[in-house]
Amino acid sequence: MHFVCLACRAAWKKTPASQDPVRCPQCRAELIDAGADLAVPRRRDDAGWRALEAVLRAGLTFHGGCCGTGPGYRPRTPREVQERLALAGRTGMPVTKALAVVDPTLTDRYGAAARTPGRGTRIARRATGAPQRSPKTA
């Protein structure tokens, strides 16, 4: 698990062994449990840390789902965060849901277009009904 100190712009990998709050070894502030799937920005990457701070302050983490599905989309730049916050203000969508939307221009009141592309979609079947054989197997 990644534990992040936003003030120091540092992250540590630790196991959540106890329920006690984990403290930053540098500034003694409480660390945020960001999850195992976090890609920590470089310390000098101001934009990356601003985006990460907005995501973590909103309550989103980088904990993966079952079967290796991952945490889903998370914005990586302040511009992506601003676009999703504008979406939340425009549609009334909760901020945590808006920050997880892949494309903020495609929403229909939290519906199918607000989801990650590819989830829940089916591939169209062929009109012929019979499978076509390749020239090698014919």
Side-chain angles (χ1 to χ4, degrees):
M1 300 299 230
H2 286 271
F3 287 86
V4 177
C5 178
L6 296 172
C8 297
R9 291 187 176 180
W12 291 270
K13 290 182 181 179
K14 297 180 182 251
T15 58
S18 67
Q19 299 296 343
D20 298 335
V22 182
R23 299 274 175 199
C24 174
Q26 296 173 357
C27 70
R28 305 304 300 159
E30 188 171 334
L31 295 176
I32 299 170
D33 179 8
D37 295 332
L38 171 66
V40 181
R42 293 190 181 268
R43 190 167 291 187
R44 292 173 295 219
D45 183 9
D46 294 333
W49 278 98
R50 282 197 314 264
L52 178 62
E53 181 175 4
V55 168
L56 292 176
R57 298 262 186 232
L60 290 174
T61 60
F62 295 84
H63 293 283
C66 92
C67 305
T69 56
Y73 175 81
R74 301 291 185 259
R76 301 192 97 177
T77 64
R79 180 180 176 153
E80 291 175 351
V81 170
Q82 288 175 349
E83 289 171 351
R84 280 141 187 90
L85 291 177
L87 169 71
R90 188 173 64 241
T91 63
M93 183 184 293
V95 173
T96 55
K97 287 192 182 287
L99 285 174
V101 169
V102 176
D103 187 1
T105 61
L106 302 174
T107 57
D108 61 345
R109 187 69 179 166
Y110 320 359
R115 286 186 268 149
T116 305
R119 287 191 176 182
T121 59
R122 294 186 179 203
I123 299 171
R125 295 182 181 235
R126 285 187 216 161
T128 60
Q132 294 180 357
R133 294 186 172 192
S134 68
K136 293 180 183 177
T137 59

